[in-house]
């Protein structure tokens, strides 16, 4: 039984990996179930055992890519050497902006996912993988006097929405490197202003 479960999980992972490459290269509409079967080397019955439709397969791909983005973002924040919440938040946000130019991320997460899955489901996945981390780091920033504690929750939603909007701008840009450079500068400036010590914010206002 354990071997059958392991084989089933391996087949599922393989299908997701193959579909990721095809969806990134051809887009959702340009990728057929037949193409996935051919490239994966599995039967139709095996595919439908794991995924009831092409949309469900695509949803699994979206979740897998989101998980990879989360791991890459966390790794970038860790590698930055930052120890304070503000530095970690900036490193993570900047990593996401840079990842928005990746071909897989652009096509699957930013261009096709909102249309294929619908805004509500797409947003739910975004919150599942991104909101929790933002809230945790902002809470650390609040504990350090950088963010008003009652605003941790709304700030997390604002940052999630702002980061996604800038990522979409990059994904749809004719000149991706230029759009990335502008987005990085804007995000860094925005976070510097937002994460001033609360005492300084009060003085400025």
């Amino acid at each position: 039984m354990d071997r059958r479960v392991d084989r089933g999980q391996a087949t599922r992972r393989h299908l997701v990996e193959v579909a990721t490459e095809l969806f990134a290269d051809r887009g959702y509409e340009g990728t057929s179930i037949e193409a996935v079967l051919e490239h994966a080397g599995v039967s139709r019955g095996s595919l439908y055992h794991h995924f009831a439709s092409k949309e469900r397969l695509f949803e699994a791909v979206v979740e897998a890519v989101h998980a990879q983005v989360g791991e890459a973002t966390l790794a970038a924040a860790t590698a930055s050497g930052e120890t304070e919440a503000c530095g970690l938040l900036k490193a993570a946000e900047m990593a996401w902006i840079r990842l928005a130019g990746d071909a897989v991320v652009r096509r699957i997460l930013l261009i096709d996912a909102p249309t294929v899955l619908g805004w509500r489901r797409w947003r739910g996945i975004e919150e599942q993988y991104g909101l929790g981390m933002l809230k945790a780091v902002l809470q650390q920033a609040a504990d350090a006097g950088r963010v008003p504690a009652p605003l941790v929750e709304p700030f997390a939603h604002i940052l999630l929405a702002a980061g996604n909007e800038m990522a979409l701008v990059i994904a749809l840009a004719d000149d991706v490197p230029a759009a990335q450079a502008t987005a990085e500068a804007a995000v860094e400036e925005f976070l510097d202003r937002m994460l001033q010590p609360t005492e300084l914010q009060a003085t400025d206002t």
Side-chain angles (χ1 to χ4, degrees):
M1 180 63 71
D2 289 343
R3 290 182 179 179
R4 291 176 61 184
V5 170
D6 289 342
R7 284 198 300 270
Q9 291 176 342
T11 299
R12 189 183 191 281
R13 287 193 300 270
H14 179 57
L15 284 166
V16 170
E17 290 170 359
V18 169
T20 298
E21 294 180 4
L22 291 173
F23 286 135
D25 183 51
R26 306 179 184 184
Y28 179 81
E29 294 298 335
T31 301
S32 65
I33 286 294
E34 287 70 23
V36 175
L37 295 175
E38 179 182 351
H39 284 75
V42 301
S43 67
R44 187 178 298 271
S46 180
L47 186 149
Y48 283 115
H49 171 73
H50 295 284
F51 306 103
S53 64
K54 187 173 83 166
E55 183 179 333
R56 295 282 76 80
L57 173 59
F58 181 75
E59 184 174 5
V61 167
V62 170
E63 291 180 342
V65 175
H66 258 302
Q68 293 167 8
V69 166
E71 292 172 1
T73 301
L74 181 59
T78 302
S80 70
E82 298 285 353
T83 56
E84 294 187 358
C86 297
L88 288 170
L89 182 60
K90 285 179 64 175
E93 284 287 313
M94 297 299 281
W96 168 230
I97 293 300
R98 295 185 183 108
L99 284 166
D102 178 82
V104 174
V105 173
R106 287 177 65 210
R107 185 72 200 201
I108 293 175
L109 296 190
L110 300 172
I111 295 176
D112 282 350
T115 301
V116 176
L117 302 181
W119 186 88
R120 186 178 296 276
R121 179 58 184 141
W122 175 68
R123 178 66 173 177
I125 295 173
E126 290 282 310
E127 291 187 359
Q128 176 185 349
Y129 286 94
L131 188 62
M133 182 185 71
L134 287 173
K135 287 169 63 176
V137 177
L138 282 169
Q139 185 58 57
Q140 293 181 43
D143 294 341
R146 294 276 183 171
V147 173
L151 298 183
V152 166
E153 179 90 14
F155 274 9
H157 283 277
I158 289 171
L159 285 177
L160 181 67
N164 287 341
E165 182 64 22
M166 290 309 304
L168 283 169
V169 169
I170 294 168
L172 299 174
D174 294 328
D175 187 341
V176 171
Q180 276 188 304
T182 301
E184 288 178 22
V187 168
E188 185 169 14
E189 179 69 16
F190 172 74
L191 290 175
D192 282 341
R193 290 173 178 268
M194 191 192 81
L195 295 172
Q196 291 182 33
T198 53
E199 295 84 357
L200 181 56
Q201 292 175 3
T203 301
D204 290 343
T205 56

